[in-house]
């Protein structure tokens, strides 16, 4: 079941939450709406679900070829998973999952045996089959969220919508459930849209990422596309840590902090004042110049615990700069706080100044 959103806008009082947003989610894809607080991602998800209404006359929402913009929630056949589970505390795990089936009109309600079989299949799918008789208070946060997901899937939704599904969990559990959700989606292939502000979560789980900012879509693409080929300065800064320098572009050359490098991007013409961005892992650190163009910097702090070593540097012009080294490379360099190093960017991105 595909989802197509056409020119949807939403205003709360004087606040423009969405501004003529259009989006297509192909059948069977898992798509992440990613952006900071206030970017409009949850509002868009709730409008797709029918929990919010778009501004009158602002556009359409299609599930496959059917316009559902005026349909109530119950007719859209959407499974919705909230951040804080929204489980019924007085019901067992089994009863929570079965709830959506039991409240159907009598003519559409499965038999008691069918309900029992479906619930147990779903509990096995979310790895909770032995906990059918427990209550939400007896479960961990990760287990509660899996119950919430099973409940959403029980009604066999056309689409599955998840609003910050792991936001209330600690970092370790979030990471485990991210991998689990990806495996589950690969098995079920239900068209799914989930909201997150966690870049790692979106990059790891989604087939495609919709990066949102101030009620608009900045970029849509695969995780590789949005991370390695950002189309705007916002996407570059939002997805991962970056170093930013003011620069000047003149005749295809980028000049910044005593460096001059070739302009890196094809099919984009920039002249004059701009900003250059460098990922911490896209720099080479040496203790000698080796005759190559480089930026002189001083080591301010060393973070060596972890798979990579992170350096906080300050260039000769006072610019802060973050860099990453492998543990093996760091072990050969004898670096200390106060050491002088030479930094060469391996890859840069340039955007016009705002």
């Amino acid at each position: 079941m595909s989802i197509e959103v056409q020119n949807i806008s939403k205003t709360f009082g004087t606040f423009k939450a969405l501004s003529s947003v259009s989006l297509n989610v192909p059948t069977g894809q898992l798509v992440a709406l990613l952006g900071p607080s206030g970017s409009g991602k949850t509002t868009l998800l709730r409008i797709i679900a029918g929990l919010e209404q778009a501004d009158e006359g602002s556009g359409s929402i299609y599930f496959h070829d059917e316009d559902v913009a005026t349909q109530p929630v119950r007719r859209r056949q959407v499974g919705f998973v909230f951040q804080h589970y929204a489980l019924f505390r007085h019901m067992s795990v089994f009863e929570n999952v079965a709830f959506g089936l039991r409240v159907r009109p009598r003519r559409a309600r499965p038999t008691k045996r069918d309900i029992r079989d479906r619930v147990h299949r779903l509990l096995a799918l979310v790895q909770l089959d032995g906990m059918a008789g427990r209550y939400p208070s007896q479960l961990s946060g990760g287990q509660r969220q899996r119950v919430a997901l099973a409940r959403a899937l029980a009604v066999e939704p056309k689409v599955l919508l998840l609003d910050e599904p792991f936001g209330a969990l600690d970092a370790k559990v979030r990471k485990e459930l991210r991998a689990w959700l990806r495996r589950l989606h690969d098995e079920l292939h239900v068209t799914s849209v989930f909201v997150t502000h966690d870049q790692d979560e979106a990059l790891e789980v989604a087939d495609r990422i919709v990066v949102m900012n101030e009620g608009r879509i900045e970029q849509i693409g695969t995780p590789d596309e949005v991370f390695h080929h950002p189309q705007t300065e916002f996407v570059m800064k939002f997805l991962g840590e970056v170093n930013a320098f003011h620069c000047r572009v003149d005749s295809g050359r980028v000049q910044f902090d005593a460096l001059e490098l070739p302009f890196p991007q094809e099919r984009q013409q920039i002249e004059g004042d701009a900003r250059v961005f460098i990922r911490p892992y896209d720099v080479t650190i040496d203790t000698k110049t080796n005759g190559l163009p480089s930026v002189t910097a001083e080591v301010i702090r060393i973070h060596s615990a972890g798979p990579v070593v992170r350096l906080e540097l300050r260039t000769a012009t006072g610019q802060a700069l973050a860099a990453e080294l492998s543990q093996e490379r760091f072990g050969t360099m004898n670096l200390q706080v106060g050491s002088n190093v030479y930094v060469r960017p391996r890859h840069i991105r340039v955007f016009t100044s705002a």
Side-chain angles (χ1 to χ4, degrees):
M1 179 66 66
S2 62
I3 303 170
E4 186 174 358
V5 174
Q6 297 179 349
N7 301 316
I8 290 294
S9 295
K10 178 64 177 178
T11 305
F12 295 100
T14 60
F15 176 67
K16 194 76 169 179
L18 294 173
S19 182
S20 192
V21 169
S22 296
L23 170 67
N24 181 55
V25 180
T27 300
Q29 277 204 348
L30 177 57
V31 171
L33 303 181
L34 174 66
S37 297
S39 61
K41 55 191 187 298
T42 292
T43 299
L44 178 57
L45 192 79
R46 291 175 64 85
I47 289 174
I48 293 172
L51 298 172
E52 296 278 359
Q53 296 300 311
D55 291 346
E56 187 174 353
S58 74
S60 303
I61 300 171
Y62 289 90
F63 286 0
H64 197 46
D65 294 325
E66 181 182 7
D67 189 349
V68 299
T70 60
Q71 290 186 4
V73 179
R74 65 181 181 277
R75 290 191 56 193
R76 297 194 191 190
Q77 293 181 256
V78 165
F80 204 101
V81 179
F82 298 89
Q83 177 178 349
H84 293 287
Y85 327 123
L87 299 179
F88 299 112
R89 290 179 292 178
H90 64 288
M91 292 184 182
S92 68
V93 167
F94 182 96
E95 294 299 330
N96 265 284
V97 177
F99 179 79
L101 300 171
R102 287 187 168 154
V103 298
R104 282 181 172 176
R106 185 175 297 275
R107 64 182 179 276
R109 190 182 309 159
T111 65
K112 289 184 178 180
R113 181 173 180 176
D114 288 341
I115 291 174
R116 183 183 67 246
D117 290 346
R118 187 181 301 180
V119 170
H120 281 296
R121 283 199 305 272
L122 283 167
L123 290 177
L125 188 66
V126 299
Q127 302 168 358
L128 292 175
D129 198 25
M131 300 185 180
R134 295 192 184 184
Y135 288 82
S137 61
Q138 298 173 302
L139 304 178
S140 68
Q143 290 169 336
R144 291 178 199 172
Q145 195 58 288
R146 282 186 276 161
V147 173
L149 185 55
R151 183 178 62 183
L153 292 170
V155 296
E156 298 180 320
K158 291 180 179 179
V159 297
L160 181 64
L161 308 176
L162 307 98
D163 186 12
E164 298 272 11
F166 310 135
L169 305 173
D170 64 58
K172 185 175 185 297
V173 175
R174 278 205 311 270
K175 189 169 181 62
E176 291 171 353
L177 284 186
R178 290 202 302 251
W180 173 80
L181 177 61
R182 181 67 248 187
R183 292 194 301 270
L184 183 68
H185 181 266
D186 289 342
E187 184 173 341
L188 298 178
H189 297 291
V190 176
T191 305
S192 305
V193 181
F194 75 99
V195 162
T196 183
H197 64 272
D198 186 321
Q199 301 96 327
D200 290 338
E201 188 169 285
L203 293 168
E204 181 179 336
V205 175
D207 294 312
R208 285 197 307 156
I209 296 175
V210 180
V211 184
M212 299 187 66
N213 180 38
E214 296 183 343
R216 292 180 171 84
I217 293 175
E218 293 269 341
Q219 185 174 347
I220 302 173
T222 65
D224 278 351
E225 286 169 345
V226 297
F227 189 83
H228 294 296
H229 304 285
Q231 295 177 356
T232 68
E233 179 175 322
F234 174 83
V235 176
M236 182 78 201
K237 292 190 294 186
F238 189 71
L239 290 178
E241 185 179 359
V242 292
N243 299 293
F245 293 79
H246 291 288
C247 70
R248 182 158 186 86
V249 182
D250 186 12
S251 301
R253 304 291 294 179
V254 182
Q255 302 163 358
F256 67 99
D257 206 302
L259 272 182
E260 183 175 305
L261 300 171
F263 189 81
Q265 289 134 280
E266 297 179 359
R267 297 184 301 277
Q268 182 180 6
Q269 299 299 317
I270 293 177
E271 288 288 329
D273 292 335
R275 281 160 62 81
V276 61
F277 294 88
I278 311 166
R279 300 283 187 196
Y281 56 78
D282 272 332
V283 298
T284 297
I285 306 291
D286 286 304
T287 54
K288 299 179 180 179
T289 62
N290 296 321
L292 299 171
S294 59
V295 173
T296 305
E298 179 185 358
V299 178
I300 302 301
R301 193 172 182 188
I302 299 172
H303 308 263
S304 57
V308 298
V309 178
R310 292 177 46 80
L311 302 180
E312 293 182 20
L313 309 174
R314 183 182 296 120
T315 72
T317 59
Q319 171 80 42
L321 191 152
E324 294 180 358
L325 295 173
S326 69
Q327 289 284 356
E328 292 76 12
R329 173 69 173 153
F330 177 72
T332 67
M333 297 182 69
N334 193 31
L335 291 181
Q336 300 176 358
V337 172
S339 296
N340 290 320
V341 294
Y342 298 91
V343 182
R344 287 185 290 108
R346 292 193 301 271
H347 183 74
I348 62 175
R349 299 287 296 184
V350 179
F351 296 96
T352 56
S353 296

